[in-house]
């Protein structure tokens, strides 16, 4: 599944914090030995090989924002816009982010629109896109309704991300008001509204609710339709995974619907795979008997096949028969056939007939058909389930006939039963 601007913003804040820490230490002007022991070092000091620090560093760095404050120590709207533009002009991205985070700390409901206007004037630049998510979160927490109204003028994915981020920040602080805002919006929604935009807002609300209470967020998710429940359960799962993979896995397995459990377990598996493939394989073995675990188990099998397809096949063969094993065989043999179809076919030849082997042959045949449709059809004929066998043969034959009718037609008439010939040669719109 699926980098987010919130994540990017967190990293940017971290980078800025590290930069600020470094500059504050350098401002002290003390050698490392003096700071650590309190006594001057007796060792000779080598001449510095570092280039001179640029103007505006040191104490000036910490006082950068003071130049834009008024007599009341606040940053007015006019000065906020100028300060944002000044930060954007800085060629050093770390220093620019440091300055912008200082501005975020000085953000108010009154000067936030000016910050947005300044970023909007630089729309399309990497710098503006990088900082917009920070503004969205800060403004959403200060005045969610105003922030969302302003971000409604943004188009495309940048707009979706900003609105989702702002609503998440608002919902985390005032869930009732944020939820009511989205409910009112839905009630007066333009029938031509972009579904992607609406989904981004719903995702933002869920994310904010989940930060406060995953149970409340789940209750809200249950009010949505089944497809949205399946699409958005990953938002809540990611929040639980922030506690630990074990907590996320246990929570996912107890969700109220099959679709939720299926998608949530897949999200858990993706997180597991990023950290520990062998550990993910052990976890997949434990849940493989659950019908809703088939996506997660197949993802693990696919990753194992990338490392060693023969060993992955042996691993899948030891799983309990059922949806997880069948789906895992499909993923393993699809990947294996792309890399080494001869070795994959040799492994297929030694497998015991049954649903698992049928799943492997199906994936093998469909993948092989892109290069050798005749051999793919021959292999598809070895499937034991009559219905699945016919469906795969018709699918491959139809595609072959569509791309190379002169080569496909004689083979189809010579090798397929009359009813399958009719299905394979039928017009696509039938």
């Amino acid at each position: 599944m699926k980098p987010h601007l919130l994540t990017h913003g967190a990293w940017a804040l971290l980078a800025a914090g590290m930069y600020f820490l470094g500059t504050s230490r350098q401002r002290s002007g003390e050698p490392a030995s003096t700071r650590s022991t309190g006594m001057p070092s007796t060792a000779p000091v080598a001449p510095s090989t570092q280039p001179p620090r640029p103007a505006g560093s040191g104490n000036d760095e910490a006082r950068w924002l003071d130049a834009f404050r008024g007599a009341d120590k606040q940053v007015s709207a006019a000065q906020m816009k100028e300060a944002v533009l000044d930060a954007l002009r800085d060629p050093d991205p770390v220093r620019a982010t440091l300055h912008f985070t200082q501005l975020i700390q000085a953000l108010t409901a009154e000067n936030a629109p000016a910050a947005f206007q300044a970023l909007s004037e630089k729309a399309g630049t990497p710098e503006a896109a990088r900082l917009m998510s920070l503004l969205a979160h800060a403004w959403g927490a200060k005045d969610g309704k105003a922030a969302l109204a302003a971000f409604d003028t943004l188009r495309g994915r940048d707009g979706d991300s900003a609105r989702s981020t702002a609503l998440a920040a608002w919902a985390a602080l005032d869930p009732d008001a944020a939820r009511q805002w989205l409910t009112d919006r839905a009630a007066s929604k333009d029938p031509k509204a972009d579904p992607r935009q609406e989904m981004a807002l719903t995702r933002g609300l869920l994310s904010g609710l989940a930060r406060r209470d995953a149970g409340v967020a789940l209750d809200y998710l249950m009010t949505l339709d089944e497809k949205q429940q399946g699409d958005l359960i990953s938002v809540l799962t990611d929040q639980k995974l922030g506690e630990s993979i074990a907590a996320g896995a246990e929570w996912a397995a107890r969700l109220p619907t099959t679709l939720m459990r299926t998608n949530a377990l897949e999200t858990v598996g993706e997180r597991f795979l990023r950290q520990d493939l062998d550990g993910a394989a052990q976890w997949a073995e434990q849940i493989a008997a659950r019908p809703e675990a088939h996506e997660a188990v197949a993802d693990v099998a696919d990753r194992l096949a990338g490392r060693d397809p023969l060993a992955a096949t042996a691993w899948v063969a030891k799983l309990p028969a059922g949806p997880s094993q069948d789906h895992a065989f499909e993923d393993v043999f699809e990947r294996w056939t792309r890399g080494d179809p001869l070795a994959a076919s040799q492994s297929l030849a030694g497998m015991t007939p049954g649903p698992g082997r049928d799943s492997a042959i199906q994936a093998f045949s469909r993948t092989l058909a892109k290069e050798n449709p005749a051999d793919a059809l021959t292999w598809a004929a070895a499937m034991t389930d009559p219905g699945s066998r016919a469906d795969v043969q018709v699918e491959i034959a139809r595609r072959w006939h569509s791309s190379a009718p002169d080569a496909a037609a004689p083979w189809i008439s010579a090798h397929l039963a009359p009813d399958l010939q009719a299905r394979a040669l039928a017009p696509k719109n039938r």
Side-chain angles (χ1 to χ4, degrees), residues 285 288 311-321 325 329:
E285 291 171 9
T313 300
W315 179 81
V316 175
K318 293 188 295 184
L319 299 177
Q325 187 187 58
F329 269 132

Side-chain angles (χ1 to χ4, degrees), residues 172 206-219 236 239-240:
L206 270 174
S207 179
L209 293 176
R211 292 176 202 173
R212 289 177 62 95
D213 189 326
V216 171
L218 181 59
D219 288 342
L236 278 64
Q239 189 69 28
K240 295 299 294 186

Side-chain angles (χ1 to χ4, degrees), residues 206-291:
L206 270 174
S207 179
L209 293 176
R211 292 176 202 173
R212 289 177 62 95
D213 189 326
V216 171
L218 181 59
D219 288 342
Y220 174 73
L221 184 60
M222 292 299 296
T223 67
L224 306 179
D225 63 52
E226 184 179 11
K227 184 179 184 307
Q228 289 178 310
Q229 292 173 9
D231 291 342
L232 294 170
I233 191 61
S234 62
V235 176
L236 278 64
T237 309
D238 283 335
Q239 189 69 28
K240 295 299 294 186
L241 286 169
E243 301 174 16
S244 70
I245 289 181
E250 181 180 354
W251 178 84
R254 297 197 311 266
L255 287 167
T257 72
T258 299
L259 182 59
M260 282 186 178
R261 292 192 296 273
T262 298
N263 291 356
L265 287 171
E266 184 177 19
T267 300
V268 173
E270 289 172 349
R271 177 71 65 87
F272 223 143
L273 285 169
R274 289 198 293 269
Q275 299 183 12
D276 180 5
L277 175 55
D278 293 326
Q282 293 174 8
W283 170 72
E285 291 171 9
Q286 297 170 6
I287 65 170
R290 302 178 63 111

Side-chain angles (χ1 to χ4, degrees), residues 18-206:
M18 294 302 293
Y19 179 89
F20 184 79
L21 178 62
T23 56
S24 65
R25 287 179 175 174
Q26 290 170 340
R27 285 195 303 270
S28 68
E30 298 175 15
S33 58
T34 302
R35 291 196 302 271
S36 60
T37 66
M39 298 292 292
S41 170
T42 58
V45 179
S48 173
T49 59
Q50 297 297 319
R53 291 180 57 79
S57 60
N59 288 329
D60 291 342
E61 201 69 67
R63 293 197 298 266
W64 172 83
L65 186 60
D66 291 345
F68 300 96
R69 295 184 189 276
D72 58 357
K73 301 301 183 181
Q74 301 300 309
V75 180
S76 68
Q79 289 297 91
M80 174 60 76
K81 180 177 180 180
E82 181 54 39
V84 171
L85 293 175
D86 187 72
L88 287 172
R89 285 191 291 265
D90 197 314
D92 184 337
V94 175
R95 190 167 54 228
T97 304
L98 169 62
H99 290 168
F100 194 80
T101 54
Q102 292 178 24
L103 291 173
I104 289 297
Q105 293 173 351
L107 197 74
T108 65
E110 290 72 32
N111 63 26
F116 173 66
Q117 182 182 1
L119 286 180
S120 298
E121 290 178 3
K122 300 295 183 179
T125 65
E127 292 78 10
R130 179 167 52 85
L131 300 177
M132 187 66 80
S133 63
L134 298 180
L135 175 63
H137 185 275
W139 196 2
K142 292 282 185 183
D143 188 347
K145 185 177 293 187
L148 286 161
F151 293 137
D152 212 31
T153 62
L154 296 177
R155 295 292 177 262
R157 295 188 182 278
D158 288 346
D160 292 343
S161 179
R163 285 184 288 272
S164 180
T165 299
L167 187 55
W170 187 12
L173 293 175
D174 191 349
D176 292 338
R179 182 172 175 174
Q180 187 61 52
W181 178 89
L182 190 59
T183 299
D184 293 343
R185 177 186 174 93
S188 59
K189 183 176 65 176
D190 182 346
K192 296 181 180 180
D194 185 354
R196 187 185 68 184
Q197 184 181 67
E198 302 309 310
M199 178 62 83
L201 287 168
T202 303
R203 184 180 294 275
L205 178 66
L206 270 174

